Amino acid sequence: LRQTRGRKKTKTIPQELVKQSDSDFVDKVVTNEDSDERKTSTTDTDLKSIKDKTCYERLNRKPNRVFRVKIIHCDYKDCDYKCRSDAGLASHMKSHDNQKTEAYRQQRLSLHHRCYHLSTKSYICDETDCEKEYKKFKHLRAHITRTHINKTICCDYTDCGKLFKTLTTMRAHYKCVHSDDKPFKCPYNDCGQRFINNSRLELHVASHATDRQFKCDFIGCHKDFKTAPELQSHKRIHNTEPTFKCAVEGCRQRFHLYTQLEKHRQSVHSWPRRVRQPGRRVSCHWPGCDFTTTKAKSGLKHHQYKHTGERPYVCDWPECGKRFARPFALKEHKNIHNNLKPYACHWPGCQYRCANTANLCKHYKQVHKK
């Protein structure tokens, strides 16, 4: 029994004929004489190996099984946390013992009870005259932080005085402006500026480029920029309503540009001026000229046209032929030919519009500044 138990049973095949019973694999008869003459023909061992292989695949085929996933609930009061493992629940329970995470959880629960609507399955802001709708909680929280929270956190650096809405933005500002740890250096030899991360370095390197891929799509405005953030900040000029709000209590003024907001804070609320780190400046080599600029190529080049009197930019309108020293001045001049007035006065109740920024500044000084 021990000797025959491990052996496989083999069938005796007659010598006259070797024929495959299963028609799926072989459809012709092979004799012993032909198999001796032709070595490439199918033999009984080949047929047996094919049969064994197919039977093995059929027996080991995995059935379509349905697995039930175990869901574990948190037993803490007013906590809807769910997970699938004990390790995930153990790491979650540590958040209840931490004061910071517990305060954030309480804030999230209060916002969920106030703003979540079961009918629409979305979050609706409960602030007065807002009622903006969001599908996710993180988008609602970002909206409330960005719109309805005042800037109360002050920068720790002396003589800075800048306010922020969150501690994270204040720390990012401190690291970017006041810290000396800036490992990322600009690859251009004549620049030498350094940055705290690679994203800021990439934005700076784009300023060295000559092509301007981002163009303003406002009617009559032909400005183009090197980076997308510059274009987004420029588009605020064309908005009908100002977007920058003064964070001082009791002041409800809004402005289109952040520079206008800074001037308002310094002149009205006596805010300290922001200290800017001195960058690499290039001076003009003309005798008796003290002009300096950070733009080594474009700024210095356009400034030197004042000394030489050169005006290389010519208007191609028929019978015009006006020449200008800067390409921006030529673009504003073409607004007159096209009868376009893209620049509007943002004074409340004033409907003045003009074709260039110079006329807008004159209008502001002559009418509203008095």
Side-chain angles (χ1 to χ4, degrees):
L1 289 174
R2 290 181 182 176
Q3 294 177 357
T4 58
R5 184 177 296 176
R7 298 178 183 177
K8 295 183 180 179
K9 295 182 180 181
T10 57
K11 296 181 180 180
T12 58
I13 302 173
Q15 297 180 358
E16 290 85 5
L17 185 64
V18 179
K19 185 177 180 180
Q20 173 65 25
S21 61
D22 194 354
S23 61
D24 295 337
F25 302 106
V26 175
D27 33 12
K28 78 172 185 175
V29 178
V30 182
T31 60
N32 286 337
E33 297 176 357
D34 295 336
S35 62
D36 294 336
E37 294 175 359
R38 301 177 183 177
K39 295 182 180 180
T40 58
S41 62
T42 309
T43 60
D44 55 344
T45 55
D46 296 332
L47 294 173
K48 190 173 184 303
S49 62
I50 293 172
K51 277 187 175 182
D52 293 341
K53 185 177 181 181
T54 53
C55 293
Y56 178 81
E57 290 177 356
R58 289 173 185 173
L59 290 173
N60 288 274
R61 187 177 297 166
K62 294 182 180 180
N64 295 327
R65 298 179 182 176
V66 179
F67 296 94
R68 293 183 179 180
V69 180
K70 182 182 178 182
I71 299 176
I72 306 173
H73 297 267
C74 179
D75 297 334
Y76 203 84
K77 185 180 179 180
D78 297 333
C79 185
D80 300 332
Y81 180 78
K82 301 176 184 179
C83 63
R84 297 180 180 179
S85 62
D86 296 333
L89 180 63
S91 62
H92 164 74
M93 292 300 293
K94 294 179 181 179
S95 63
H96 293 297
D97 300 333
N98 193 349
Q99 296 180 358
K100 294 182 180 180
T101 54
E102 184 65 22
Y104 173 75
R105 194 180 67 84
Q106 294 294 337
Q107 180 190 7
R108 177 166 185 168
L109 283 174
S110 63
L111 283 175
H112 182 81
H113 293 318
R114 293 197 328 255
C115 304
Y116 188 74
H117 291 259
L118 291 173
S119 58
T120 59
K121 293 183 179 180
S122 60
Y123 295 91
I124 299 177
C125 183
D126 60 345
E127 294 289 337
T128 55
D129 300 333
C130 185
E131 297 182 356
K132 283 193 174 183
E133 186 176 349
Y134 299 93
K135 289 292 183 182
K136 295 183 179 181
F137 172 77
K138 61 180 182 180
H139 296 158
L140 172 69
R141 187 169 179 268
H143 160 73
I144 293 175
T145 306
R146 183 175 60 252
T147 308
H148 303 296
I149 293 180
N150 294 327
K151 296 181 179 180
T152 56
I153 302 174
C154 184
C155 180
D156 296 336
Y157 192 79
T158 55
D159 300 333
C160 181
K162 195 173 182 180
L163 295 177
F164 301 91
K165 294 183 178 180
T166 59
L167 188 63
T168 306
T169 53
M170 189 275 290
R171 289 173 178 171
H173 157 77
Y174 188 92
K175 188 176 180 181
C176 176
V177 179
H178 307 299
S179 177
D180 296 333
D181 186 15
K182 297 179 180 181
F184 296 90
K185 184 180 178 182
C186 179
Y188 287 84
N189 296 328
D190 299 335
C191 183
Q193 292 194 28
R194 306 183 72 91
F195 301 91
I196 58 172
N197 51 31
N198 193 27
S199 60
R200 293 181 179 273
L201 175 62
E202 289 178 354
L203 288 174
H204 168 73
V205 170
S207 63
H208 291 287
T210 55
D211 54 339
R212 295 173 175 264
Q213 303 177 358
F214 303 92
K215 297 182 179 180
C216 181
D217 54 357
F218 191 79
I219 300 174
C221 183
H222 306 288
K223 277 192 172 183
D224 46 6
F225 301 90
K226 297 179 181 179
T227 58
E230 292 178 352
L231 176 61
Q232 294 297 329
S233 62
H234 161 75
K235 283 185 176 181
R236 295 178 183 269
I237 300 175
H238 304 303
N239 293 339
T240 55
E241 297 180 358
T243 54
F244 289 99
K245 179 185 176 183
C246 183
V248 179
E249 294 184 1
C251 185
R252 298 183 178 180
Q253 290 196 21
R254 293 175 178 266
F255 303 91
H256 286 79
L257 299 176
Y258 186 77
T259 54
Q260 297 174 352
L261 176 60
E262 279 191 335
K263 291 179 181 179
H264 162 75
R265 287 172 175 173
Q266 294 168 5
S267 59
V268 178
H269 304 295
S270 301
W271 275 36
R273 292 183 177 272
R274 187 172 61 176
V275 180
R276 298 180 181 270
Q277 288 189 348
R280 182 180 175 86
R281 305 186 67 87
V282 182
S283 58
C284 179
H285 299 292
W286 197 268
C289 183
D290 299 332
F291 175 79
T292 58
T293 180
T294 56
K295 299 178 180 179
K297 294 182 179 179
S298 60
L300 186 61
K301 178 183 176 182
H302 294 152
H303 165 75
Q304 288 179 350
Y305 288 153
K306 295 181 179 180
H307 300 298
T308 59
E310 186 180 356
R311 295 173 178 265
Y313 304 98
V314 186
C315 179
D316 55 356
W317 194 268
E319 298 180 0
C320 180
K322 260 195 169 184
R323 307 179 71 91
F324 300 90
R326 295 175 179 268
F328 175 68
L330 176 60
K331 290 181 180 179
E332 288 189 339
H333 167 74
K334 286 184 177 180
N335 291 336
I336 301 173
H337 296 302
N338 298 320
N339 197 17
L340 298 174
K341 296 180 179 181
Y343 302 100
C345 180
H346 302 307
W347 193 268
C350 184
Q351 298 180 356
Y352 176 80
R353 302 185 72 91
C354 57
N356 51 44
T357 54
N359 292 338
L360 184 62
C361 292
K362 289 179 183 179
H363 163 78
Y364 177 77
K365 292 179 180 178
Q366 295 174 1
V367 178
H368 301 301
K369 199 171 183 179
K370 292 182 179 180

